[in-house]
Amino acid sequence: MPWLWLAGAIILEVIATTSLKLSEGLTRPLPSIVVAVGYVGAFFMLSRALSRGMDLGVAYGVWAAAGIALVAVIGVVLFSESLTWVQIGGIALIIGGVMALEMGGRH
């Protein structure tokens, strides 16, 4: 169950971050509201994952890595941003580091 809460936190954080770009410096009301609601919801769901026994380092690592990867892809798809091979490699290293964190915690 903690993983479902974490997945919800990741989705809301990605929506909020994408809306932050669309808010144009928090000057557009609707995207700005989505930013606030999304971040509050993301932290609420992250707290639920933690209160249900998920390790802090694992939860935050997965949350951050998934968020970085998803936001980078959204930037390319929705905003025509580019990713260099170095940036793609960096994202892969982040994901690999989180996987090592998760696997290293198992005994």
Side-chain angles (χ1 to χ4, degrees):
M1 189 64 165
W3 286 99
L4 291 176
W5 285 106
L6 183 61
I10 292 166
I11 290 166
L12 286 178
E13 189 267 336
V14 168
I15 290 169
T17 301
T18 303
S19 296
L20 190 59
K21 172 114 175 148
L22 296 171
S23 76
E24 297 177 9
L26 300 176
T27 60
R28 296 182 58 215
L30 184 58
S32 298
I33 291 168
V34 173
V35 168
V37 171
Y39 283 133
V40 168
F43 280 104
F44 172 78
M45 289 188 162
L46 179 61
S47 74
R48 290 292 172 207
L50 295 172
S51 71
R52 282 162 175 71
M54 185 170 278
D55 290 343
L56 177 61
V58 170
Y60 191 74
V62 170
W63 185 37
I68 289 167
L70 290 169
V71 168
V73 169
I74 288 169
V76 170
V77 172
L78 293 182
F79 304 116
S80 299
E81 297 174 355
S82 62
L83 282 177
T84 67
W85 285 108
V86 172
Q87 291 169 312
I88 293 168
I91 291 168
L93 287 171
I94 291 168
I95 292 170
V98 170
M99 289 173 59
L101 182 65
E102 171 62 18
M103 292 185 298
R106 296 184 184 162
H107 299 286

